[in-house]
Amino acid sequence: MALGIQHFILGLLANQSMSGYDVKRLFGRFRWLIGPSSFGNIYPALHALLDEGLVTMDVIAGSDRPPRKVYHINERGLEALEEWDREPAGSDTSLKTFVMRLLLSGNLDRRELIAYLEQRRAEVVAQRSELEVLTDRACDEDLGRRLALDYGLALSGKEIDWLEQTLEELGTRVVYSEVV
Amino acid sequence: MALGIQHFILGLLANQSMSGYDVKRLFGRFRWLIGPSSFGNIYPALHALLDEGLVTMDVIAGSDRPPRKVYHINERGLEALEEWDREPAGSDTSLKTFVMRLLLSGNLDRRELIAYLEQRRAEVVAQRSELEVLTDRACDEDLGRRLALDYGLALSGKEIDWLEQTLEELGTRVVYSEVV
DNA sequence: GGGTTCATGTAATGGGTTACATGATTCC
DNA sequence: GGAATCATGTAACCCATTACATGAACCC
């Protein structure tokens, strides 16, 4: 299951009602981090959510632009989302999954968010030290491997910095009024 | 096609002969960047490469460990790889695809590698400025979107730095003896 | 007239994930 | 005795990619 597109889109709708086109636009903005997307999976996912009764849909006719189908999450959708979030979260430590979850983190309260970021930090630190070990004995490795290793060290270091800075900000001052 | 796992594994074998288990281990080391993998796609890909006559296979019986099946690329495999590399390369600018190509970049000559990294830099710069525009008008956005945006800016900045530094190193001194 | 943005979809194919299945060895 | 590492695989189902299909408005 591991954060399928249906789950992800439902999470997006929990923040804000959107059309399929809006979802695609959002994907596009983060495509560098989460990879390509297409209407071929977005629209079917939206239809499936409708069929399962987790969202409702309004057709909004624009004056000069094509009519948009805006989807809203409902009570049952919110319940389904919470159920999904309660699941073990799997062992997918990939950057892509992290960013997707980060995009949905508005649905978390501050304590949960902090716990999530701390868990992530531990994972990235572990991953990074694995790369460090490889670097120490990489003299014989080919150029491609060395470059990928170096790249991984650079980015993982930056991510750890970012996590620590963000955690500090979340800890010291109230970023978001505690509504939950 | 977009850099399927079969193509990727063939590229790995061009650098070094490996068993399926070795391939899995390599995936594991970079799983943070390229996502999870499983034997369920590695072994079938290896079998397919064998069937297509692009690789050969040796069974190496270990004294105390299970026998390993080590795969070697052959002439036809090298040709197929070159053909694949000649393809338009698609529009997949995702980090995952970049890292996978980087791992195979040992097969490129220095000029090709520099061109690839320069192309990548242009893509990331474009992606980054898209995020910058969003940040300027993100006051209303929810926390998750703001965090993902901030994260994206941090990492894209770091990647651009890395690309520039690496390009400089490749340009000023000969990192790799020019064999091609 | 052609390209881009907006906006929605369908259908087939293929590939990948997940789960299942096995077995020896070593370390706690 | 149980867990982990080494090592190989199969099979089914599902999901996602790709390509196809349509149409209006706007700008160069």
Side-chain angles (χ1 to χ4, degrees), chain A residues 3 8 12 26-27 29-35 92-106 116-117 120 159 162, chain B residues 32 95 131 144-145 147-153 155:
Chain A
L3 196 64
F8 179 62
L12 291 178
L26 208 163
F27 265 106
R29 266 145 192 181
F30 290 94
R31 76 175 178 285
W32 171 61
L33 294 165
I34 64 184
D92 185 354
T93 58
S94 71
L95 200 146
K96 173 183 174 176
T97 301
F98 172 66
V99 173
M100 286 168 81
R101 283 193 195 280
L102 199 58
L103 276 164
L104 301 186
S105 65
Y116 178 52
L117 295 181
R120 173 69 181 174
E159 176 168 336
W162 183 86
Chain B
W32 171 61
L95 200 146
L131 294 181
R145 201 95 94 250
L147 286 175
L149 227 41
D150 193 50
Y151 177 85
L153 286 172
L155 281 221

Side-chain angles (χ1 to χ4, degrees), chain B residues 99-152:
Chain B
V99 174
M100 286 168 80
R101 282 193 196 280
L102 199 57
L103 275 165
L104 302 186
S105 64
N107 301 324
L108 268 42
D109 66 50
R110 197 151 124 259
R111 217 197 61 233
E112 287 173 318
L113 176 57
I114 288 173
Y116 177 52
L117 294 181
E118 275 170 352
Q119 186 203 317
R120 173 69 181 173
R121 181 179 49 181
E123 284 164 0
V124 179
V125 165
Q127 198 75 38
R128 183 182 163 77
S129 53
E130 236 185 283
L131 294 181
E132 271 168 351
V133 170
L134 284 178
T135 306
D136 291 341
R137 46 176 181 185
C139 13
D140 56 324
E141 306 255 11
D142 80 303
L143 180 61
R145 201 95 94 250
R146 284 211 313 271
L147 286 175
L149 227 41
D150 193 50
Y151 177 85

